[in-house]
Amino acid sequence: MDCYYEMDDGTDFEFKGWEKIYDETFYSYFTLLKHRTCRLDNLEVDSFDYLTYRDMCLVMIRALLIESERLKENYTLQNFLIKHNRADLKLQVDNYLNQNINSMLTLRKALKISVDKFIAHNDTLVKEDPSGEKQFCTEDFALRYLFLSDISRADYPFSISKITNFIGNILNQIPENEIIEPNSIA
């Protein structure tokens, strides 16, 4: 069985270009985040649905904002901005992520701890000290709890809605003639 669609010899299509595909896919991810954030904002904070949408939105935000510098083709806001020759906006994004959200965490670290250790992975809360004795590691757990408690407050400057709006405000600074409509990949 063939794993591809066959085309008649006379069927041609115009390739839109990798840049357009990149932009469309990036905007698809961001559009999905906006829709999920809107749904999240209409849910009761203590509900199961709120927790589900909160986690989905955090995973998407982490994916759109935090990636290794060496992975230049992944769909991050910073990669998108570099492709559009907007290093100035990339710096704004990096500065935003490096802001302290409290005395212990930057936004970047809060997103990474919350998503990487407790949503995308279920990291252990038990660590061994140098002598081999096991102990409960409360630091990451407490930092995650603090951040997740804070983001549900309407007055918190780093709520999911406010982070999503920040991304949208950055994207609004790209000239309209460069904006590509979302596709259905995301």
Side-chain angles (χ1 to χ4, degrees):
M1 172 181 252
D2 293 332
C3 294
Y4 59 90
Y5 294 105
E6 290 189 29
M7 297 176 119
D8 295 335
D9 288 339
T11 305
D12 291 327
F13 65 94
E14 184 177 330
F15 179 63
K16 58 176 116 182
W18 294 116
E19 295 83 8
K20 186 170 181 172
I21 291 171
Y22 183 93
D23 285 2
E24 289 176 348
T25 304
F26 176 83
Y27 272 101
S28 293
Y29 291 134
F30 178 64
T31 300
L32 182 58
L33 173 62
K34 286 192 314 185
H35 290 298
R36 287 179 173 170
T37 299
C38 184
R39 174 73 57 91
L40 176 73
D41 289 343
N42 292 312
L43 296 171
E44 290 294 321
V45 173
D46 294 328
S47 71
F48 178 76
D49 289 341
Y50 178 88
L51 298 176
T52 301
Y53 272 89
R54 179 203 64 195
D55 288 359
M56 286 189 308
C57 290
L58 285 172
V59 168
M60 292 188 79
I61 287 169
R62 190 256 188 253
L64 285 172
L65 293 177
I66 303 172
E67 183 58 88
S68 170
E69 292 275 336
R70 64 182 167 69
L71 299 174
K72 301 203 182 302
E73 295 302 316
N74 286 358
Y75 299 101
T76 65
L77 181 57
Q78 295 89 325
N79 287 345
F80 176 86
L81 294 169
I82 292 300
K83 289 179 182 298
H84 286 273
N85 299 312
R86 293 303 305 264
D88 60 319
L89 294 176
K90 179 191 177 296
L91 182 60
Q92 284 183 31
V93 173
D94 289 335
N95 289 340
Y96 180 77
L97 288 169
N98 293 330
Q99 288 182 86
N100 287 322
I101 62 169
N102 59 40
S103 63
M104 299 172 284
L105 286 171
T106 63
L107 178 58
R108 180 185 307 273
K109 187 174 178 183
L111 288 167
K112 283 187 67 59
I113 288 172
S114 296
V115 173
D116 294 359
K117 294 180 179 279
F118 296 96
I119 299 173
H121 303 278
N122 296 311
D123 287 6
T124 183
L125 294 174
V126 178
K127 304 286 183 187
E128 281 189 30
D129 66 15
S131 69
E133 186 176 328
K134 290 185 178 185
Q135 49 189 292
F136 188 68
C137 179
T138 59
E139 183 179 349
D140 286 347
F141 185 77
L143 293 174
R144 172 191 173 260
Y145 178 78
L146 179 64
F147 176 61
L148 294 181
S149 296
D150 285 343
I151 64 170
S152 65
R153 294 187 356 240
D155 65 333
Y156 189 61
F158 299 101
S159 67
I160 289 172
S161 292
K162 290 177 182 161
I163 295 170
T164 302
N165 287 338
F166 171 81
I167 296 169
N169 290 336
I170 291 291
L171 291 173
N172 287 338
Q173 296 179 55
I174 303 296
E176 278 190 43
N177 62 340
E178 292 185 32
I179 294 177
I180 309 297
E181 291 299 316
N183 63 29
S184 61
I185 291 176

